[in-house]
Amino acid sequence: MTATAYPHIETDATGAAIISGATTKVIEIVLDHLAHHWDAHEIRRQYPYLHLAQIHAAMAYYFDNQEVLDRDIE
């Protein structure tokens, strides 16, 4: 099995997944999606410094690692 690369996602010093070029954590994007039912365009309006590609990459990362991130959310 090969590892999946996420071109807009990197990890910080603590190992948390963050959006490349920003300090926004993937889990922040995910929480807004889950709690507020925001789609990518609404998340873009709330985080105007992010590009749609970054937001979609964050959501792809979440869905590929959902079990782990859901445990972190709990």
Side-chain angles (χ1 to χ4, degrees):
M1 185 170 180
T2 61
T4 303
Y6 300 93
H8 298 288
I9 307 298
E10 57 190 49
T11 55
D12 65 9
T14 68
I18 62 168
I19 306 287
S20 298
T23 58
T24 306
K25 293 181 180 181
V26 168
I27 204 160
E28 293 175 56
I29 301 298
V30 170
L31 285 170
D32 285 336
H33 169 71
L34 295 174
H36 305 295
H37 305 285
W38 290 347
D39 63 9
H41 292 284
E42 182 58 31
I43 292 169
R44 170 74 171 92
R45 281 190 279 281
Q46 299 297 324
Y47 298 85
Y49 55 90
L50 295 179
H51 300 280
L52 280 173
Q54 292 170 307
I55 295 164
H56 284 288
M59 294 307 299
Y61 182 90
Y62 168 66
F63 289 119
D64 285 344
N65 299 281
Q66 190 169 0
E67 282 186 34
V68 173
L69 290 174
D70 283 348
R71 279 195 304 265
D72 290 346
I73 290 169
E74 287 179 13

